Amino acid sequence: EVQLVESGGGLVQPGGSLRLSCAASGFSFSDASMSWVRQAPGKGLEWVGRINSETDGGTTDYAAPMKGRFTISRDDSKNTLYLQMNSLRAEDTAVYFCARTHTWWLRSVGQHYYMDVWGKGTTVTVSS
Amino acid sequence: QSVLTQPPSASGTPGQRVTISCSGSSSNIGSNTVNWYQQLPGTAPKLLIHSNNQRPSGVPDRLSGSKSGTSASLAISGLQSEDEADYYCAAWDDSLNGPVFGGGTKLTVL
């Protein structure tokens, strides 16, 4: 069964740090690009960032509000994705989802970017 | 405020056909493909449509996606009670260098 399981969420004070993990199973994790997406309470979905497979350079991209504060990494030997979050703010309070990502570009239709397998999410609360 | 614009709500009766719209710009929908996700209360999003109109395995063919210019739409025919959920459109944005989502549409089955 293809599965993603997030962990590491919790309550953290403003300015603090937290590392989330996402354990993958049932598919070739090392070949996959992976994304983090978050959802603040009662709000919509917001992309956090992504990491490509090592075959595709292992490069990372981040949404503007997260640049410089969040770092995405992966350990293919452990089939695990990570999200290191520093300098946390109240507005970072959200459920954080990891998702398997498919991304490629074709001249005829442009950029494809979609997430087909999602974890159930882990809750991060930033509050004093 | 979301980059892609969706109506906040939609409704229909069982068996009806409903359409949810998604409006963007030349930097996102106008240049790239559109995806649709369904989110039931308290659960993770589920991919319904990718690449404008492609259904992943297991998604019924009463759901369909289309795109024209800088707008896209999701159609659900033969509406069922289990379709009651939030629906999000998404597309890559060339200016922001990342995917953007609509604000979501809450579908109610009356």
Side-chain angles (χ1 to χ4, degrees), chain A residues 37 39 43-47 50 61-62 67 97 103-105 109-116 118-121, chain B residues 31-33 35 37 39 42-47 50-52 67 88 91-92 94 96-103:
Chain A
V37 175
Q39 187 170 34
K43 302 296 185 182
L45 302 172
E46 180 183 27
W47 181 71
R50 63 104 177 252
D61 290 294
Y62 301 93
K67 275 183 183 175
F97 300 99
T103 178
W104 73 93
W105 181 84
V109 295
Q111 185 74 41
H112 293 257
Y113 192 105
Y114 64 90
M115 294 161 277
D116 68 337
W118 295 67
K120 293 183 177 181
Chain B
S31 306
N32 304 301
T33 63
N35 314 303
Y37 300 90
Q39 188 176 32
T43 70
K46 172 188 174 183
L47 179 67
H50 69 85
S51 308
N52 300 331
K67 173 185 141 175
Y88 295 90
W92 183 267
D94 293 333
L96 298 174
N97 198 35
V100 291
F101 290 91

Side-chain angles (χ1 to χ4, degrees), chain B residues 4-21:
Chain B
L4 305 182
T5 301
Q6 298 179 236
S9 63
S11 64
T13 56
Q16 253 189 339
R17 181 179 188 271
V18 297
T19 301
I20 297 173
S21 63

Side-chain angles (χ1 to χ4, degrees), chain A residues 66-110:
Chain A
M66 292 74 170
K67 275 183 183 175
R69 299 191 301 128
F70 289 12
T71 301
I72 298 174
S73 61
R74 64 191 299 157
D75 186 337
D76 290 345
S77 69
K78 296 181 178 179
N79 287 346
T80 302
L81 174 73
Y82 302 100
L83 176 63
Q84 177 68 44
M85 303 184 294
N86 299 329
S87 303
L88 284 164
R89 309 163 180 164
E91 52 266 37
D92 295 319
T93 294
V95 176
Y96 285 73
F97 300 99
C98 62
R100 186 175 72 177
T101 300
H102 299 267
T103 178
W104 73 93
W105 181 84
L106 282 175
R107 182 184 299 275
S108 56
V109 295

Side-chain angles (χ1 to χ4, degrees), chain B:
Chain B
Q1 189 165 337
S2 302
V3 175
L4 305 182
T5 301
Q6 298 179 236
S9 63
S11 64
T13 56
Q16 253 189 339
R17 181 179 188 271
V18 297
T19 301
I20 297 173
S21 63
C22 176
S23 177
S25 68
S26 59
S27 66
N28 41 66
I29 293 178
S31 306
N32 304 301
T33 63
V34 178
N35 314 303
W36 290 90
Y37 300 90
Q38 176 196 57
Q39 188 176 32
L40 299 170
T43 70
K46 172 188 174 183
L47 179 67
L48 290 182
I49 299 286
H50 69 85
S51 308
N52 300 331
N53 54 20
Q54 300 300 301
R55 284 185 305 275
S57 173
V59 174
D61 59 6
R62 60 187 186 85
L63 277 74
S64 62
S66 63
K67 173 185 141 175
S68 178
T70 59
S71 295
S73 62
L74 172 71
I76 306 174
S77 59
L79 199 61
Q80 301 176 3
S81 58
E82 51 261 43
D83 296 327
E84 193 161 282
D86 293 326
Y87 292 83
Y88 295 90
C89 59
W92 183 267
D93 191 291
D94 293 333
S95 298
L96 298 174
N97 198 35
V100 291
F101 290 91
T105 298
K106 184 176 183 62
L107 175 62
T108 300
V109 181
L110 301 170

